[in-house]
Amino acid sequence: MRVHSLFALFLIGILPILFFAWEMLNTYDTTAFEQRKNDLQSQGSSMANLLLTSGYFSDPTIEEVNTELLRTANIYDGRILVVDNKLNILKDTYGIEDGNIIISEDVIKCLGGVNSIRQDKENNFVEMTVPITRTTTTTKEVMGVILMNFSTKNINTISAILSQKANVLFLTTAILIFVYAFFYSGVFTKPFINLKKAIGHLTEGYMDEEVKVDGFYEVKQISNSLNQMLLRIKNLERSRQEFVSNVSHELKTPITSIKVLADSLIMQENVPPELYREFLVDITEEIERENKIINDLLSLVKLDKTASEMNITSIKINDLLELVLKRLRPIAKKNNIELIYESFRPVIAEVDEVKLSLALSNLIENAIKYNVEDGWVRVSLNADHKYFYVKVADSGIGIPEDAQDFIFDRFYRVDKARSRGTGGTGLGLSITKNAIHMHKGAIKVYSKENEGTTFTVRVPINYIA
Ligand code: ADP
């Protein structure tokens, strides 16, 4: 990351400067050259004018004109040749070719009416032809050509100086940007390195420490999220440990009772057969209880697995409820509890039949178990276009308000003695809650001590995976 940000910062800093310098030099070159060309062209035309008006073609020795030609050639550090239309060189400001014949493609073309301008960058000069045309109202006669050859050395020299300065500027800026990018990329990546260290610390097992990383806002956000995740992991770990210790305690209790009962039989001599019988009945009850705890735990473990374990079918919930009630009716009868079933409409829904019956059966069984003499349990089924609702209301002992938040916790029982007396393990409601949640449903409890309890369950009619 550091290398990347260093590289990115460097590029962002250096590329515009490079581009700017290149563009500046280029612009200077073209503008300077264009200006020189325009200058030459206007000088050329005024010289052509002078040559015509002075009658230079009949007398090329006119002193004034020659001086003017020399002066112009000197100003532009160049050479001027005046050629007539028979290619005779009338004047060479270098004084070398006077009187000779010129054979130049550009001159011939110019006599034919085509001007030319040519830049020789290697040898630093510009060559330009300007026609000397005599124009009357009816005719247009090319009398000759001015061939100008001017040095572009000074443009190139300035350009070279400029590019040298640009190079120095570029190098200094590049170094400055590199140094800045190097330090800044360090500052930029430091919080991430610290974060990595903090996570490494957690991985090594120091889970009790908070992740605390200062720096950019985003990094703080990451460290906050990490702390939240850590808290969740710690809570999960705590509840896992609690669960394990609860399980071992619950599983041990019936075994301890069995051992106590068996020991007391062994210790006594000449135990009457009735006592044997009585103790063996107690032992059988404890075994049944152990069995129930194991079965509930297995149900819970199964429900803890992922939703892919769901066996979804479309079934009539009315039938499912009737079947559950039919199984529980004998228990209700034994306790003299009236079991009422109300169904407002036929409901067909996509559910896992086994899991849902377990969930509802636990609720109705609790309503019977935690009821009063001659009490009642009312189970009702209703639905709208999206959900079906099962309500289990009872006239029972109710749940104290401060306990209502915990009844869905594993092994939680309001009154351990009563729950144990009724064969409760404290796992029923957590099984119910898990099963309902696996259907993406919701469960709520309304209860008042000594008045009764109502559980409402809401489950989507169409299964949401
Ligand atoms: P248990 O196996 O003890 O019944 P549950 O998880 O099913 O365990 O229920 C947890 C506790 O919630 C019970 O021990 C009981 O105290 C209380 N409870 C559950 N349902 C009712 C109810 N309908 N009326 C009163 N108390 C209830």
Side-chain angles (χ1 to χ4, degrees), residues 90-237:
L90 300 182
K91 176 74 185 169
D92 173 4
T93 54
Y94 274 14
I96 306 169
E97 302 280 350
D98 288 319
N100 287 349
I101 296 235
I102 189 162
I103 301 174
S104 150
E105 201 185 327
D106 290 342
V107 172
I108 295 167
K109 270 190 190 163
C110 188
L111 285 170
V114 183
N115 290 7
S116 71
I117 179 153
R118 197 155 49 77
Q119 184 182 16
D120 185 338
K121 280 201 167 160
E122 229 168 76
N123 298 311
N124 297 327
F125 71 87
V126 181
E127 198 176 79
M128 190 175 180
T129 54
V130 179
I132 310 165
T133 316
R134 173 176 299 166
T135 328
T136 64
T137 41
T138 46
T139 54
K140 207 175 178 192
E141 188 191 353
V142 181
M143 301 290 291
V145 171
I146 302 174
L147 178 67
M148 295 186 282
N149 200 319
F150 287 111
S151 162
T152 52
K153 235 182 206 153
N154 59 347
I155 297 182
N156 294 349
T157 318
I158 295 175
S159 178
I161 293 171
L162 278 180
S163 84
Q164 202 182 7
K165 288 210 163 156
N167 280 344
V168 173
L169 190 77
F170 174 74
L171 259 173
T172 336
T173 331
I175 292 168
L176 282 177
I177 290 175
F178 185 80
V179 173
Y180 174 76
F182 186 78
F183 282 110
Y184 191 72
S185 63
V187 172
F188 186 64
T189 45
K190 197 164 181 232
F192 291 97
I193 293 168
N194 288 347
L195 199 63
K196 187 185 156 267
K197 270 191 206 151
I199 296 172
H201 208 56
L202 292 180
T203 324
E204 279 164 21
Y206 298 96
M207 300 274 276
D208 290 336
E209 287 170 31
E210 260 207 350
V211 177
K212 211 166 178 327
V213 180
D214 271 340
F216 302 106
Y217 173 75
E218 286 78 2
V219 178
K220 277 186 195 155
Q221 297 279 93
I222 297 176
S223 88
N224 283 348
S225 303
L226 255 174
N227 281 329
Q228 277 167 12
M229 194 181 84
L230 205 63
L231 198 71
R232 211 176 129 68
I233 294 173
K234 280 186 214 158
N235 282 342
L236 275 175
E237 178 59 17

Side-chain angles (χ1 to χ4, degrees), residues 13-126:
I14 216 71
L15 276 183
I17 292 178
L18 203 66
F19 179 73
F20 186 68
W22 181 79
E23 188 60 28
M24 286 284 285
L25 283 175
N26 231 11
T27 314
Y28 171 76
D29 267 2
T30 35
T31 330
F33 180 70
E34 273 305 304
Q35 203 181 346
R36 175 61 58 89
K37 201 177 87 179
N38 290 342
D39 269 8
L40 289 182
Q41 245 156 2
S42 67
Q43 284 292 342
S45 334
S46 66
M47 270 190 295
N49 232 359
L50 181 69
L51 292 172
L52 272 178
T53 48
S54 63
Y56 192 79
F57 288 98
S58 29
D59 179 12
T61 56
I62 302 171
E63 198 57 41
E64 278 168 36
V65 179
N66 282 334
T67 318
E68 182 59 26
L69 287 172
L70 265 172
R71 200 180 64 85
T72 314
N74 282 340
I75 292 174
Y76 288 97
D77 186 19
R79 180 184 190 184
I80 298 175
L81 267 75
V82 181
V83 181
D84 68 9
N85 51 13
K86 293 190 183 66
L87 301 176
N88 291 315
I89 299 170
L90 300 182
K91 176 74 185 169
D92 173 4
T93 54
Y94 274 14
I96 306 169
E97 302 280 350
D98 288 319
N100 287 349
I101 296 235
I102 189 162
I103 301 174
S104 150
E105 201 185 327
D106 290 342
V107 172
I108 295 167
K109 270 190 190 163
C110 188
L111 285 170
V114 183
N115 290 7
S116 71
I117 179 153
R118 197 155 49 77
Q119 184 182 16
D120 185 338
K121 280 201 167 160
E122 229 168 76
N123 298 311
N124 297 327
F125 71 87
V126 181

Side-chain angles (χ1 to χ4, degrees), residues 305-331:
K305 288 189 183 160
T306 54
S308 61
E309 303 279 317
M310 295 290 272
N311 181 16
I312 301 295
T313 48
S314 221
I315 56 156
K316 200 167 172 194
I317 306 298
N318 311 60
D319 294 349
L320 180 139
L321 267 174
E322 266 165 35
L323 203 75
V324 171
L325 287 168
K326 194 175 155 198
R327 279 209 309 264
L328 294 175
R329 232 171 258 286
I331 310 174

Side-chain angles (χ1 to χ4, degrees), residues 292 296 362-363 366-371 394 396-399 406-409 411-415 419-420 422-431 447 452-453 455:
K292 179 147 175 44
D296 278 1
N362 279 345
L363 289 182
N366 277 350
I368 300 168
K369 274 190 327 195
Y370 302 104
N371 219 315
D394 65 55
I397 57 167
I399 305 164
F406 307 105
I407 51 169
F408 295 104
D409 292 353
F411 294 113
Y412 182 82
R413 285 164 288 181
V414 177
D415 178 350
S419 170
R420 193 166 150 66
T422 51
T425 59
L427 293 171
L429 282 181
S430 51
I431 292 173
S447 183
T453 305
F455 281 95

